[in-house]
Amino acid sequence: MHTEAGPTWMQYVMPVIVIAVVMALRWRRMSRARPLKIETLWIVPAIYLLIVDFVFYAAPPSPMGWLWSAVALVFGIAGGWYRGRTMQITVDPATHTLNQKASPAAFLILIVLVVLRKAAGEELGGGNPHSPAALLATDIGMAFALGLYSATRLEMALRAKRLLRESLSKTFS
């Protein structure tokens, strides 16, 4: 006789373990400066915009869903601008190459977002990813992430260009 049981403890523990491993690897990589190429900062937001467009076109939100998604986009932009400001950007005075180094604050924002998204999906959807509440949570999360990624990259690009201009003007003064 087969009875359907509720979720096992492994269904809760495995995502936490995977997230912890990914975050640990990211934390280690975050401590090193990496080259920053201004000309490629638009790629991630553009790809994510295409994904969001596809999802919203395939399953358009309700009018209230659009409103909540717009609010989430605004909050994402604000959070992304702050996250971008926390990224350390330096210019090598000799070669004028740009480098970036993520900050712990930017990293903590990502951790909080992952945890909130997981909790919202479970709580609102009641375990059903196709419930209207779970779909709304997904739409809101996608709009927020679009604002976050786009504003982070825009702020970094503007600041990197300014720092590069300042560095070049000091060199030729």
Side-chain angles (χ1 to χ4, degrees), residues 4-38:
E4 188 158 329
T8 66
W9 65 274
M10 284 299 287
Q11 289 176 306
Y12 295 108
V13 172
M14 286 309 293
V16 170
I17 290 171
V18 170
I19 290 169
V21 169
V22 168
M23 295 299 182
L25 293 172
R26 178 96 170 107
W27 185 270
R28 199 178 79 189
R29 228 179 48 180
M30 189 178 73
S31 63
R32 292 179 289 210
R34 296 184 330 234
L36 173 63
K37 299 198 181 328
I38 298 172

Side-chain angles (χ1 to χ4, degrees), residues 2 13 15 18 21 65 74 80 85 93 104-105 142 154 170:
H2 177 67
V13 172
V18 170
V21 169
V74 169
R85 297 279 311 151
M142 291 183 77
L154 177 62
K170 287 178 185 176

Side-chain angles (χ1 to χ4, degrees), residues 8-167:
T8 66
W9 65 274
M10 284 299 287
Q11 289 176 306
Y12 295 108
V13 172
M14 286 309 293
V16 170
I17 290 171
V18 170
I19 290 169
V21 169
V22 168
M23 295 299 182
L25 293 172
R26 178 96 170 107
W27 185 270
R28 199 178 79 189
R29 228 179 48 180
M30 189 178 73
S31 63
R32 292 179 289 210
R34 296 184 330 234
L36 173 63
K37 299 198 181 328
I38 298 172
E39 60 275 4
T40 62
L41 287 174
W42 65 273
I43 295 172
V44 169
I47 291 171
Y48 200 72
L49 177 62
L50 290 173
I51 293 168
V52 171
D53 282 347
F54 175 75
V55 169
F56 278 31
Y57 178 77
S62 67
M64 195 55 124
W66 281 111
L67 175 66
W68 280 110
S69 295
V71 169
L73 180 68
V74 169
F75 276 99
I77 290 169
W81 198 263
Y82 174 76
R83 182 173 178 256
R85 297 279 311 151
T86 64
M87 300 287 189
Q88 182 182 5
I89 299 174
T90 57
V91 181
D92 184 312
T95 63
H96 299 291
T97 57
L98 292 162
N99 292 303
Q100 72 174 1
K101 187 174 171 184
S103 75
F107 183 69
L108 290 175
I109 289 171
L110 290 178
I111 291 173
V112 168
L113 289 176
V114 168
V115 170
L116 285 176
R117 171 60 188 104
K118 181 69 176 159
E122 289 293 322
E123 196 60 36
L124 294 175
N128 178 5
H130 301 293
S131 73
L135 293 174
L136 177 62
T138 299
D139 293 343
I140 290 170
M142 291 183 77
F144 182 87
L146 177 62
L148 183 84
Y149 295 144
S150 300
T152 297
R153 305 283 175 133
L154 177 62
E155 197 287 329
M156 289 174 64
L158 294 173
R159 190 159 40 101
K161 285 180 181 181
R162 181 179 48 80
L163 291 170
L164 191 55
R165 259 193 325 271
E166 289 172 3
S167 176

